[in-house]
Amino acid sequence: VISALHFVYAWAQLDTVNALFFTYLLRCDGPGTCGYQYNFYFALIATLVFARAAAAMKLEGRLTKWNRESAALMIKAFSMNTGWAWASYCKTAITDAGTYVAFDPMWSYLLCVAFAWMAISFVHRSLVVELRAWDRHCRAEAESCELILH
């Protein structure tokens, strides 16, 4: 039940944040009508704020199962909202680029997908390399302390 709930919770959270940023502060109808510049600012702010909030929530010790599940629910919502914010930016940027260049928007979407795939692959590989280095370091430390890891 919690797995299905995080999608609905994230959607409600994004609607609230969108209403605050785009409708209230910028007087737009929504992310699609504000332009790619404001969508970029929103995505950047959402990334920074949600990453900081998620990191703070992970550090807090939760005693009850209810509190642990609610923290996990919010952290999943933060990550989904960050992705949706960047997707909204990409959509408005591609739409805006289509007004200046006469070509099929499908090619813009394919270019964005290719770029995102390469960027995610690079970041994933970097993280895997760091994880392997950390594992080697931990094993070396354990061996130097005469601890055996199984």
Side-chain angles (χ1 to χ4, degrees):
V1 173
I2 296 293
S3 296
L5 182 62
H6 83 271
F7 181 81
V8 175
Y9 179 76
W11 201 350
Q13 189 182 63
L14 183 67
D15 281 348
T16 304
V17 175
N18 277 345
L20 174 70
F21 188 80
F22 292 107
T23 307
Y24 181 71
L25 295 177
L26 299 176
R27 304 283 184 204
C28 299
D29 289 336
T33 60
C34 250
Y36 72 93
Q37 296 93 340
Y38 290 121
N39 276 279
F40 178 79
Y41 298 143
F42 176 73
L44 186 64
I45 291 168
T47 301
L48 297 174
V49 169
F50 289 157
R52 179 76 175 144
M57 292 186 86
K58 278 191 177 241
L59 290 177
E60 292 180 11
R62 308 278 178 193
L63 297 178
T64 65
K65 182 157 177 65
W66 175 262
N67 288 339
R68 286 191 299 271
E69 290 298 325
S70 72
L73 179 76
M74 283 189 257
I75 290 170
K76 285 181 183 179
F78 291 158
S79 64
M80 287 184 72
N81 288 335
T82 302
W84 282 335
W86 284 107
S88 180
Y89 161 70
C90 289
K91 183 176 185 236
T92 55
I94 289 170
T95 302
D96 187 68
T99 62
Y100 298 112
V101 181
F103 62 90
D104 190 8
M106 180 190 70
W107 294 110
S108 296
Y109 284 106
L110 288 174
L111 181 65
C112 285
V113 167
F115 174 76
W117 179 73
M118 288 188 299
I120 290 169
S121 297
F122 174 75
V123 170
H124 179 263
R125 184 173 183 325
S126 300
L127 290 174
V128 168
V129 168
E130 289 296 321
L131 182 62
R132 288 178 184 156
W134 181 252
D135 285 343
R136 284 192 301 271
H137 171 74
C138 290
R139 284 192 190 106
E141 284 290 316
E143 289 172 1
S144 70
C145 295
E146 297 180 357
L147 296 174
I148 300 173
L149 294 176
H150 295 287

